[in-house]
Amino acid sequence: GLDITKLRSQTGCITYDPGYMNTGPCKSAITFVDGEQGILRYRGYPIDQIASRGSFTETAWLLIFGELPTREQLSRFSAGLCAEELLHEDLRHHFEGFPPGGHPMAMLSAVVNSMGCYHPDLLEIESKGEFYLAASKIISKVRTIAAFSYRKSMGLPFMYPNPALSYCRNFLHMMFSIPHKHYDPSPEAVRALSLFLTLHADHEQNCSTSTVRMVGSSQANLFASVSAGICALWGRLHGGANAGVMEMLEQISEGKRTPREVLELAKQKKFRLMGFGHRIYKSYDPRAVILKQAAHDLLTKLGKLDRLMDIAMELEALALADPYFAERKLYPNVDFYSGLILRALNIPMQMFPVMFAIGRMPGWIAHWYEEHQQHGSKIHRPRQIFTGQVLRDYVPFDER
Ligand code: ACO
């Protein structure tokens, strides 16, 4: 009920809210989060129901279009994704410009942004049909671009997509097949990847999604806006956190630190216990519950023993029993166990944020569209508390 704009013009006051801890820049009907109770719902559907019964492409449709797809809608959507999976040859040539060993996340954001050059007709979205087309192109091609980014970073030849394969199986094929040897992952591996992507598909106004909405609020096109989201995701406190978890677990595994020493250093604020704590969740992140079980199940089914899984569980138990973490309501977040799944799938660590970006793409697209549809919505333009010199006279060089 409080009209902030009116209040500001009357009093000259602005809200000082570093980190936007208590600022809601938009209204949204996409994802519901109750951080105190550990509840997450996509378009009203509980995350555990979606995770156990849905697929990633079904989730993408739900987030983007607002309803669960019918069989026909999903099959048309999947066929559309197959039709869009190839890159324009000139877009493929972009990869030649990147140096060997270049980070795949840099390639991903650059090439996704460049898609705008190849689809000038979709820079302005004027109808639902155009939006559908642009969304399908991005959801499909981001997987090809991600796999090509990996192959380029490893100096490996590109493996072209195979339209006969499902979304996740096709991605693993582009990642790991070699000429004359088709990579054939187990159904459990494919299911685990679909689950990983599904659980990352949206999480309301996180840093990258807010970035997408902010960029989109200037009426920037969808390709540019989601590319900005990829850049925001790259940071260690966001999409880079699960790689941080794995590094931490590896240090313990290599005997460089014990779990207790890691906790002590985190409590002394020498570093953050990666994969712990969340701006919104003040209880166990519901995605972490599912991923912990999924990591355990996948390792068992693949017959892989991973010492890092045992270390993660030990670290978690120690942290949860420690008053420092209890007082601050710090619990495992989505990143604590997700890296173990990626590791079991042979995905290298530098690809971890890229995997997150593929998963988050439906959420970014849905939020961009919601922003786009909110006619009269304002350009995002926060204020600041100015702390510099208010007025000075210019000083010529000789007098400085
Ligand atoms: N390890 C140790 N202490 C922590 C941690 C942590 N992981 N997270 C928060 N704290 C402490 C802070 O030092 C602070 O303590 P203080 O009150 O004594 O100063 C208190 O808990 C509150 O922390 P804030 O930084 O204010 O919490 P904020 O909401 O700003 O940060 C964040 C949330 C960034 C996720 C933080 O918990 C963190 O850095 N976690 C580790 C990185 C991580 O796992 N990121 C992934 C997040 S999920 C995602 O992006 C998909």
Side-chain angles (χ1 to χ4, degrees):
L2 189 66
D3 186 336
I4 296 289
T5 313
K6 204 165 158 195
L7 189 73
R8 190 174 60 221
S9 66
Q10 283 168 355
T11 62
C13 291
I14 63 162
T15 319
Y16 177 54
D17 185 16
Y20 306 133
M21 303 266 289
N22 195 33
T23 294
C26 63
K27 291 182 179 172
S28 180
I30 302 169
T31 288
F32 173 81
V33 180
D34 180 333
E36 292 298 326
Q37 296 189 54
I39 293 174
L40 168 61
R41 295 181 195 136
Y42 292 163
R43 300 283 189 185
Y45 296 102
I47 193 64
D48 52 321
Q49 290 184 18
I50 290 178
S52 61
R53 293 165 53 193
S55 68
F56 176 61
T57 40
E58 191 183 352
T59 305
W61 177 284
L62 170 68
L63 286 168
I64 296 173
F65 303 112
E67 296 296 337
L68 285 169
T70 61
R71 263 202 200 90
E72 292 70 38
Q73 284 170 330
L74 186 58
S75 110
R76 252 185 291 128
F77 185 49
S78 300
L81 297 182
C82 287
E84 295 293 347
E85 65 191 4
L86 285 168
L87 304 185
H88 189 290
E89 273 299 283
D90 292 340
L91 187 60
R92 190 181 62 78
H93 288 311
H94 285 229
F95 287 95
E96 288 160 19
F98 295 115
H103 200 292
M105 201 64 171
M107 295 187 222
L108 186 75
S109 64
V111 179
V112 167
N113 192 14
S114 303
M115 279 178 70
C117 303
Y118 296 84
H119 306 290
D121 47 328
L122 296 175
L123 294 180
E124 302 277 340
I125 301 276
E126 274 155 17
S127 67
K128 208 157 187 175
E130 285 176 353
F131 172 62
Y132 182 97
L133 192 58
S136 306
K137 282 185 190 297
I138 296 175
I139 298 276
S140 179
K141 290 185 202 301
V142 69
R143 159 190 63 162
T144 312
I145 297 168
F148 281 18
S149 302
Y150 165 68
R151 306 285 292 211
K152 170 70 192 186
S153 75
M154 298 298 289
L156 292 168
F158 296 137
M159 195 49 64
Y160 277 58
N162 177 349
L165 302 177
S166 69
Y167 191 90
C168 291
R169 199 172 273 278
N170 207 351
F171 173 72
L172 291 171
H173 151 69
M174 286 189 274
M175 286 285 290
F176 299 124
S177 285
I178 49 174
H180 312 300
K181 194 157 190 291
H182 177 68
Y183 182 75
D184 192 16
S186 66
E188 289 82 17
V190 176
R191 175 79 201 127
L193 177 57
S194 177
L195 178 73
F196 171 92
L197 298 175
T198 298
L199 291 176
H200 285 79
D202 192 40
H203 209 246
E204 51 120 296
Q205 300 311 311
N206 56 85
C207 178
S208 55
T209 304
S210 299
T211 300
V212 170
R213 287 192 83 123
M214 175 168 270
V215 175
S217 79
S218 75
Q219 296 181 2
N221 68 75
L222 180 57
F223 306 105
S225 302
V226 298
S227 165
I230 295 171
C231 296
L233 186 70
W234 197 352
R236 215 172 158 73
L237 295 186
H238 193 10
N242 56 2
V245 174
M246 298 312 287
E247 282 163 15
M248 194 175 70
L249 298 178
E250 275 173 359
Q251 282 183 359
I252 297 173
S253 174
E254 288 160 9
K256 291 181 181 152
R257 282 179 181 141
T258 66
R260 282 186 196 282
E261 282 168 353
V262 167
L263 289 189
E264 275 316 306
L265 289 168
K267 285 156 66 176
Q268 291 164 19
K269 303 196 192 296
K270 297 267 167 50
F271 60 72
R272 292 271 163 119
L273 181 63
M274 299 310 286
F276 253 73
H278 198 277
R279 175 62 59 81
I280 307 295
Y281 291 119
K282 299 304 164 198
S283 59
Y284 215 110
D285 181 333
R287 301 166 299 176
V289 180
I290 300 169
L291 285 169
K292 180 180 180 181
Q293 187 62 46
H296 182 269
D297 292 350
L298 180 64
L299 289 168
T300 310
K301 279 180 190 146
L302 297 182
K304 283 189 179 179
L305 280 179
D306 193 340
R307 201 175 121 60
L308 299 195
M309 179 80 199
D310 299 333
I311 295 173
M313 289 197 293
E314 185 189 347
L315 199 56
E316 180 198 332
L318 286 171
L320 292 184
D322 191 308
Y324 172 96
F325 293 90
E327 280 158 18
R328 290 167 180 76
K329 299 187 177 173
L330 303 171
Y331 293 87
N333 62 45
V334 66
D335 293 310
F336 197 68
Y337 287 101
S338 66
L340 287 157
I341 292 187
L342 296 180
R343 189 172 136 101
L345 297 175
N346 299 319
I347 309 270
M349 222 142 57
Q350 62 169 354
M351 281 295 284
F352 283 15
V354 172
M355 302 305 296
F356 194 155
I358 302 173
R360 187 53 55 91
M361 199 52 86
W364 288 336
I365 292 171
H367 281 273
W368 181 90
Y369 193 56
E370 199 174 55
E371 190 72 39
H372 181 267
Q373 288 300 96
Q374 284 173 3
H375 292 299
S377 80
K378 292 210 172 282
I379 187 166
H380 290 213
R381 204 302 185 188
R383 301 296 303 273
Q384 63 171 10
I385 309 287
F386 180 71
T387 59
Q389 306 259 7
V390 175
L391 181 63
R392 292 202 269 182
D393 279 330
Y394 181 83
V395 183
F397 274 116
D398 295 344
E399 292 170 30
R400 289 179 205 169

